[in-house]
Amino acid sequence: MFEVYIHVPFCLRRCGYCDFNTYTATDLGAGASRGNYANMVIREMKLTKQWQLDHGIAEPPVSTVFFGGGTPTILAARDLVAMLDAVRKIWSIAPDAEITTEANPDTVNEYYINELAAGGFTRVSFGMQSAVPHVLKTLDRTHTPANVAVGVNAANKAGLRSSVDLIYGAPGESLDDWRTSVTTAIDLGVNHISAYALTVEPTTKMGRQIAAGTLPKPNDDDEAAKYEIADDLFAAAGLEWYEVSNWARPGYESQHNLGYWRNVDWAGLGPGAHSHYNAVTEADHPQSASLTAPAGGGCPADAGLGVVSVSHGLRSWDIAHPRLWGTAINENRVPWADSETITPEENLEELIMLGLRLHEGLDLDRINRAINDAGMSSTPQTLRNVSLDQLAPMVSEGLITVSDNHRVVPTRRGRLLNDSVIEQFFDFVGV
């Protein structure tokens, strides 16, 4: 599979809890402005496609496209459609592809959503966060719960699937507040809901308020109780968990996010966006002797170094600041800030971490094959296969279940203690 992620770094205002790569200015220089952004991303697509061709990377038609941010819907709908059309022209898109944009409820209306639907979008993910006004105020969100309902109704009318995102654990949010948000989201009739625990970063406005004592720090026990409330209410409404923080009716899971958790290939476009390839060589890195990144980041698009042998994966990330990102594109350079090899050992760690977040579970046989592959790598490692006997104590503790086909699935307790479950697996395999 091959996915495309497009980051739109613009917002009307910066929420107090947000540490994403977003900006409120309309023009950030070097062509990275709201009005010209689609053109810049399309140019990056062409540079990325040329890099893939130069390095023998042949991807299948795009299975999902996801516009995230920031606030993608701060741009004109025609700009989002133009970028989607460019993906179709440059890579081609599978007939049943999932095409999603995130949306701030304040920035869309029926006309906007109709334009997205006509342009080929299939799904809208609304940033609801909460249905309680004082919680929205704490989170610095400007929309009202009524705006979310208007957006969802417009999407339904246009034939688009809808999802809503919720955040729990905001300072001052009671358990009853959270129940209100969950039941309101369910009553919207959407088929997919994400619920994320609030993460407080020290450099954000909220982080500084908590450090100064003007807001209380989120409480782990409170967040665990809210997770259990959500899980119970979603299940009662027919929404099944398929990833630790995501619930959907069967068949309505986010295919794009499942691609991330299944470790497929994807191209990330836009300032700070990450890309991931499972099969590349040392020659594909912009830091390699024959493909050195020029000062200021980026790598030449025309440095054709053909693949010698498929040996490992690659992770890269775009230059974060839009002006420097735009400068690289204007110089016809793939605007990477840097990249790194994904070694077999790191790939093993990622397979464990990602697999233990999914309802489909961690394929134990696949993990043991990855252990054997990592054991043959050039980096000396003392790795061990995982046996069913080793897992028995975790089963007894109610952290996991193991199916007949050797898939390890976290229980709800295991989801709440996901970091601990992952650490125990790391101990088992020796990473």
Side-chain angles (χ1 to χ4, degrees):
M1 291 177 62
F2 178 54
E3 302 185 333
V4 172
Y5 171 76
I6 299 173
H7 184 71
V8 178
F10 301 104
C11 278
L12 293 172
R13 63 179 290 179
R14 190 173 185 86
C15 299
Y17 63 90
C18 177
D19 72 333
F20 294 161
N21 189 37
T22 63
Y23 305 83
T24 56
T26 58
D27 191 336
L28 294 157
S33 65
R34 291 186 195 174
N36 192 53
Y37 189 70
N39 295 328
M40 296 298 289
V41 169
I42 291 168
R43 290 173 64 187
E44 183 182 0
M45 289 181 199
K46 294 174 181 177
L47 292 167
T48 300
K49 175 64 174 181
Q50 188 60 53
W51 177 86
Q52 292 173 344
L53 292 172
D54 288 344
H55 297 89
I57 297 174
E59 298 288 2
V62 174
S63 57
T64 72
V65 183
F66 193 102
F67 290 78
T71 307
T73 50
I74 203 172
L75 303 181
R78 65 178 176 274
D79 288 343
L80 300 188
V81 172
M83 287 185 275
L84 178 59
D85 286 342
V87 172
R88 186 176 291 108
K89 181 178 179 180
I90 291 167
W91 283 290
S92 81
I93 297 178
D96 59 347
E98 175 191 88
I99 315 295
T100 304
T101 185
E102 293 179 338
N104 182 325
D106 281 347
T107 60
V108 296
N109 56 30
E110 184 176 352
Y111 301 104
Y112 192 105
I113 287 175
N114 286 343
E115 194 169 346
L116 293 181
F121 282 76
T122 65
R123 190 171 176 273
V124 182
S125 179
F126 293 96
M128 177 177 173
Q129 319 310 2
S130 175
V132 179
H134 79 85
V135 177
L136 289 171
K137 183 177 180 180
T138 299
L139 294 172
D140 282 335
R141 302 292 291 186
T142 59
H143 70 269
T144 66
N147 288 355
V148 180
V150 169
V152 169
N153 290 336
N156 291 342
K157 188 176 178 181
L160 300 182
R161 292 185 174 188
S162 295
S163 173
V164 295
D165 290 352
L166 298 173
I167 291 177
Y168 58 91
E173 179 189 60
S174 68
L175 294 180
D176 283 341
D177 289 336
W178 176 237
R179 286 190 188 92
T180 296
S181 293
V182 172
T183 55
T184 301
I186 291 169
D187 289 345
L188 290 169
V190 295
N191 294 308
H192 185 287
I193 301 176
S194 302
Y196 301 103
L198 177 67
T199 300
V200 178
E201 299 295 342
T203 56
T204 62
K205 174 186 172 183
M206 182 176 284
R208 293 190 294 270
Q209 289 173 317
I210 289 173
T214 58
L215 284 179
K217 182 180 180 180
N219 178 276
D220 289 345
D221 290 339
D222 173 74
E223 290 186 343
K226 288 171 179 172
Y227 185 91
E228 291 178 331
I229 288 170
D231 197 40
D232 285 340
L233 291 174
F234 292 149
L239 295 152
E240 302 176 0
W241 82 274
Y242 70 95
E243 190 274 339
V244 168
S245 299
N246 288 271
W247 292 257
R249 300 188 196 283
Y252 288 86
E253 300 84 358
S254 167
Q255 296 305 306
H256 186 84
N257 287 339
L258 277 173
Y260 287 153
W261 296 315
R262 290 168 176 165
N263 240 9
V264 305
D265 284 11
W266 70 83
L269 307 163
H274 285 226
S275 299
H276 175 269
Y277 295 94
N278 279 302
V280 292
T281 69
E282 290 293 346
D284 295 330
H285 285 266
Q287 296 84 359
S288 63
S290 53
L291 188 54
T292 303
C299 66
D302 58 352
L305 296 174
V307 171
V308 177
S309 63
V310 173
S311 58
H312 53 68
L314 176 146
R315 182 185 295 105
S316 67
W317 48 97
D318 275 22
I319 299 165
H321 195 280
R323 178 174 57 80
L324 298 178
W325 169 84
T327 297
I329 292 172
N330 290 334
E331 295 173 355
N332 291 318
R333 295 185 282 122
V334 179
W336 288 357
D338 210 342
S339 70
E340 63 185 6
T341 297
I342 303 172
T343 66
E345 294 81 10
E346 290 168 336
N347 180 62
L348 175 61
E349 291 178 354
E350 291 183 4
L351 288 175
I352 292 171
M353 287 189 293
L354 297 170
L356 287 172
R357 293 187 64 86
L358 291 172
H359 187 270
E360 67 187 38
L362 178 68
D363 185 339
L364 196 58
D365 295 332
R366 182 185 182 192
I367 288 299
N368 284 333
R369 288 195 299 271
I371 289 169
N372 294 334
D373 291 342
M376 294 187 292
S377 71
S378 58
T379 304
Q381 290 283 343
T382 305
L383 299 174
R384 302 176 292 274
N385 283 1
V386 181
S387 70
L388 295 177
D389 289 343
Q390 285 177 294
L391 302 181
M394 296 177 72
V395 174
S396 298
E397 293 170 28
L399 295 171
I400 61 171
T401 62
V402 182
S403 68
D404 291 340
N405 61 349
H406 298 171
R407 283 193 172 270
V408 181
V409 181
T411 62
R412 182 157 80 179
R413 183 165 183 262
R415 284 179 269 155
L416 288 168
L417 299 173
N418 197 248
D419 288 345
S420 174
V421 172
I422 290 168
E423 286 298 327
Q424 288 190 58
F425 261 85
F426 283 175
D427 289 342
F428 291 153
V429 304
V431 295

